[in-house]
């Protein structure tokens, strides 16, 4: 499946993508490069030079024109150069205002042209800038409600980008999903403390990849599963195909493992054991003056509550056994 159109003025990209479309292959996502040319060395939408900011908008609008022509419905924006090496160059809140102006402008263009795009904003903590303003998916989830058209703007969490920040990437994906903002996802892998590696999905952190796949499958995520990764640079053409197959194969393996996990009787018994409190345990329901009075009057038996078993070691080992093919 041809997946990514990054450009806007690239005749080869247009010709290739059009040929794919004519053969019934789907182009679900388009994006734009606002990070390669030196004109963006100080940023694109957040650059100090207003002419650079205007050019970044123009380039993005042309990429939207191309994406719409080819039927894409998701438009990913990764602000790779929207950051700093020194905070002397601008106030960080001014950068947020400039970014807001740009996304609002593009939303209006999308509506005017009746393209029907949904924008998916992709975060990254650093590289190729020393610090990037929108460092994590959570930063964007806080930014989106401040836009003029938040209903057409969501996020594109990338596994490795969240891991570069030392975060649990599945947690960011889950928050985006819960907020109705998981419009797209970039699957890959990353070792801690390294440059942005874009490793084959599941090749470095197998268990955390499992939890991510399990989450996506459990909640019924039906958006694109995009592998934003690349083969080892030691590979030849066949090796690149091995890499691509590997990404998909690992996802499907973990999807099957998630189904096994969900129907495992011993795991299920532990889940029942750890769910909630004992019979008749006190719970805080919706707030009311009466419920608040009852809550304040209640005497909690902390020692008794603390005696409840939490067999997470056993639960995690069962998960490891299952992933290792022993269950
Ligand atoms: Mg990406």
């Amino acid at each position: 499946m041809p997946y990514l159109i990054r450009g806007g003025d690239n005749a080869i990209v247009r010709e290739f993508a059009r040929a794919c479309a004519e053969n019934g292959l789907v182009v679900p996502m388009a994006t734009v490069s606002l990070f390669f040319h030196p004109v963006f060395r100080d940023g694109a939408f957040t650059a100090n030079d207003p002419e650079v900011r205007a050019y970044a908008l123009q380039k993005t609008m042309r990429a939207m024109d191309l994406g719409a022509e080819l039927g894409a419905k998701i438009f990913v924006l990764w602000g790779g150069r929207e950051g700093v090496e020194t905070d002397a160059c601008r106030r960080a809140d001014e950068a947020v205002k400039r970014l807001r102006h740009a996304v609002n402008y593009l939303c209006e263009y999308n509506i005017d042209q009746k393209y029907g795009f949904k924008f998916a904003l992709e975060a990254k903590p650093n590289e190729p800038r020393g610090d990037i303003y929108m460092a994590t998916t959570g930063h964007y989830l806080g930014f989106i409600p401040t836009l003029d058209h938040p209903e057409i703007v969501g996020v594109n969490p990338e596994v490795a980008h969240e891991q570069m920040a030392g975060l649990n990437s599945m947690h960011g994906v889950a928050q985006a999903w819960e907020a109705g903002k998981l419009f797209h996802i970039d699957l890959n892998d990353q070792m801690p403390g390294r440059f942005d590696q874009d490793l084959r999905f599941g090749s470095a952190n197998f268990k955390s990849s499992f939890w991510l796949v399990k989450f996506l499958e459990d909640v019924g995520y039906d958006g694109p599963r995009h592998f934003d990764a690349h083969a080892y640079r030691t590979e030849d053409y066949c090796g690149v195909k091995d890499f691509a197959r590997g990404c998909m194969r690992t996802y499907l393996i973990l999807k099957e493992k998630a189904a096994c996990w969900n129907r495992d009787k011993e795991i299920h018994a532990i889940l029942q054991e750890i769910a909630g409190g004992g019979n008749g345990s006190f719970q805080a329901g919706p707030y009311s003056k009466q419920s608040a009075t009852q809550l304040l009057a209640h005497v909690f038996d902390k020692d008794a509550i603390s005696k409840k078993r939490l067999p997470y070691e056993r639960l995690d080992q069962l998960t490891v056994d299952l992933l290792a093919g022993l269950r």
Side-chain angles (χ1 to χ4, degrees):
M1 177 186 292
Y3 218 87
L4 182 146
I5 302 192
R6 179 175 283 168
D9 50 5
N10 188 326
I12 296 172
V13 170
R14 175 177 267 118
E15 198 54 42
F16 171 75
R18 185 176 289 136
C20 291
E22 285 172 1
N23 285 286
L25 297 170
V26 178
V27 179
M29 181 270 275
T31 186
V32 61
S33 169
L34 299 176
F35 44 85
F36 189 78
H37 195 281
V39 72
F40 299 124
R41 68 196 188 283
D42 186 40
F45 299 145
T46 63
N48 282 343
D49 186 339
E51 194 167 12
V52 172
R53 302 201 296 270
Y55 173 61
L57 282 175
Q58 182 200 65
K59 189 163 193 263
T60 306
M61 291 155 73
R62 287 180 173 164
M64 290 169 64
D65 296 342
L66 175 59
E69 180 184 330
L70 297 164
K73 290 298 173 193
I74 301 287
F75 198 92
V76 166
L77 287 170
W78 173 54
R81 296 211 59 84
E82 314 292 9
V84 297
E85 282 70 47
T86 171
D87 282 314
C89 68
R90 72 184 67 85
R91 261 177 50 170
D93 62 333
E94 183 61 30
V96 175
K97 288 179 173 60
R98 290 175 186 171
L99 183 61
R100 181 180 298 112
H101 168 266
V103 179
N104 283 340
Y105 196 99
L106 296 171
C107 285
E108 295 294 351
Y109 184 66
N110 180 43
I111 292 166
D112 256 0
Q113 298 296 316
K114 299 184 172 50
Y115 283 157
F117 278 120
K118 285 191 163 188
F119 293 93
L121 308 181
E122 179 176 334
K124 190 176 179 183
N126 58 274
E127 196 193 335
R129 301 307 302 264
D131 290 294
I132 294 175
Y133 291 117
M134 294 292 162
T136 70
T137 295
H139 285 73
Y140 269 134
L141 290 174
F143 171 72
I144 290 168
T146 72
L147 297 169
D148 290 344
H149 294 284
E151 70 282 0
I152 56 171
V153 184
V155 292
N156 175 43
E158 173 166 328
V159 172
H161 291 180
E162 304 288 310
Q163 289 171 334
M164 285 175 72
L167 301 176
N168 182 318
S169 59
M170 186 270 281
H171 290 185
V173 169
Q175 188 176 357
W177 170 262
E178 200 277 336
K181 292 298 182 187
L182 186 61
F183 290 0
H184 196 271
I185 188 167
D186 278 0
L187 301 166
N188 55 13
D189 215 341
Q190 171 78 24
M191 290 184 231
R194 310 297 213 286
F195 62 94
D196 185 8
Q197 294 177 300
D198 286 337
L199 295 170
R200 188 180 76 256
F201 180 61
S203 62
N205 301 281
F206 197 61
K207 193 167 72 171
S208 61
S209 300
F210 167 72
W211 294 124
L212 177 58
V213 171
K214 182 177 181 305
F215 178 83
L216 294 173
E217 297 301 319
D218 282 353
V219 300
Y221 170 75
D222 62 357
R225 288 156 176 80
H226 177 222
F227 297 103
D228 188 2
H230 56 75
Y232 303 142
R233 289 185 167 84
T234 46
E235 293 303 313
D236 59 8
Y237 181 72
C238 290
V240 172
K241 286 186 169 181
D242 289 338
F243 149 79
R245 280 192 208 95
C247 284
M248 294 182 275
R249 179 175 173 78
T250 300
Y251 188 96
L252 293 173
I253 290 168
L254 294 177
K255 178 181 175 182
E256 175 58 28
K257 292 290 183 184
C260 292
W261 198 95
N262 286 340
R263 61 175 180 259
D264 188 293
K265 287 188 170 55
E266 191 172 353
I267 289 173
H268 186 68
I270 295 177
L271 292 179
Q272 281 198 313
E273 184 181 346
I274 62 178
N279 286 337
S281 63
F282 190 91
Q283 297 183 32
Y287 178 84
S288 67
K289 283 187 183 303
Q290 185 185 14
S291 74
T293 301
Q294 288 173 345
L295 176 58
L296 289 168
H298 186 76
V299 178
F300 289 92
D301 186 344
K302 297 190 289 295
D303 292 336
I305 295 170
S306 302
K307 284 182 179 152
K308 179 180 165 59
R309 279 192 75 230
L310 296 172
Y312 296 161
E313 285 282 5
R314 178 67 185 150
L315 187 57
D316 191 74
Q317 186 60 47
L318 289 171
T319 304
V320 170
D321 287 359
L322 191 144
L323 292 177
L326 302 177
R327 296 185 67 79

